[in-house]
Amino acid sequence: MTFGFAPASAAASTSAASANRLLEPAEWAAAGIPLLRNPREVVSGLHARHHPQPATAVIAVLDPDERLRASASFVRRPAPADGWMFRNVLLAQLRRIIPHDLRRRTPVRTAVLLYCREGDARWTEEDGAWMWGLRDACTLHGLRCGAFITLTRDGWQVLGEGRGGRRPHSASEPEPFATSEAPPPLPRTGGAASEVLRRAAAAR
């Protein structure tokens, strides 16, 4: 393999090709990306761990039960959005945080990407480049390509699925890590048992 500078005649074709290294929401939805069972829990957990600010990407690997196995965050460099470049940086992060699964016949673990950015929740060409990069990086690392989630001032949104929420958002304070991991409180119950507990508490 040789490396060098592309001649001037090839520069235009390279630029044109990079414009195609993105995925539209319809293409993404048609690709059979697995749905998250509890997207808000995934988003809140990554937000609590990495405290993303605008221009921050968080790549995470989930096991089949949607438990987090590894994650990393990094700030996107100011440069034109290019799926090939995004693929390279995502692949480098994946190689750093978790071994590949290329020996498996079928991918078991899933990679998801959370990207915090300015603007509203509508799809942008930058989002499309991240989608292209995530799909390609997953293929090269032996992972299933999972959800692409944007975090903006409007809240979070799983692109291509139409699911989202208002919190967390790009300016919200992250929940305490312990709180985000804690099980939900037990539901209140009525009846005799509650009455016994109420009396016991009053007698203290």
Side-chain angles (χ1 to χ4, degrees):
M1 185 180 292
T2 58
F3 297 90
F5 294 100
S9 58
S13 61
T14 302
S15 176
S18 67
N20 296 323
R21 289 196 285 254
L22 58 83
L23 292 174
E24 304 264 353
E27 295 176 289
W28 183 258
I33 305 299
L35 303 180
L36 289 170
R37 290 194 295 270
N38 193 336
R40 188 186 187 285
E41 184 176 303
V42 172
V43 173
S44 297
L46 294 178
H47 188 259
R49 283 175 175 85
H50 295 279
H51 307 181
Q53 301 296 313
T56 301
V58 180
I59 182 75
V61 179
L62 309 178
D63 70 9
D65 294 322
E66 239 172 63
R67 290 183 299 235
L68 182 67
R69 287 303 174 204
S71 63
S73 61
F74 57 94
V75 177
R76 175 199 184 316
R77 293 180 179 177
D82 182 2
W84 185 78
M85 297 294 292
F86 290 168
R87 185 275 307 272
N88 289 345
V89 70
L90 289 172
L91 188 57
Q93 294 292 333
L94 287 171
R95 286 171 173 164
R96 184 174 66 84
I97 63 175
I98 201 161
H100 67 75
D101 278 346
L102 293 171
R103 291 189 180 91
R104 291 183 177 273
R105 185 170 298 177
T106 304
V108 173
R109 296 180 292 191
T110 303
V112 300
L113 180 62
L114 171 72
Y115 183 54
C116 182
R117 62 167 172 79
E118 302 287 0
D120 56 33
R122 287 176 293 184
W123 179 88
T124 67
E125 289 192 358
E126 181 186 21
D127 296 333
W130 279 116
M131 290 171 164
W132 191 98
L134 176 62
R135 186 185 65 175
D136 221 39
C138 288
T139 299
L140 293 173
H141 206 64
L143 301 171
R144 295 171 76 198
C145 179
F148 174 68
I149 307 159
T150 57
L151 191 68
T152 66
R153 63 172 180 262
D154 295 333
W156 58 271
Q157 181 173 346
V158 185
L159 291 191
E161 293 184 21
R163 293 192 292 173
R166 283 192 253 180
R167 293 190 66 85
H169 54 77
S170 59
S172 63
E173 289 294 323
E175 297 177 6
F177 186 76
T179 302
S180 68
E181 293 294 308
L186 294 173
R188 294 182 179 179
T189 57
S194 294
E195 182 63 19
V196 170
L197 291 174
R198 186 186 65 78
R199 289 177 180 173
R204 288 179 183 174

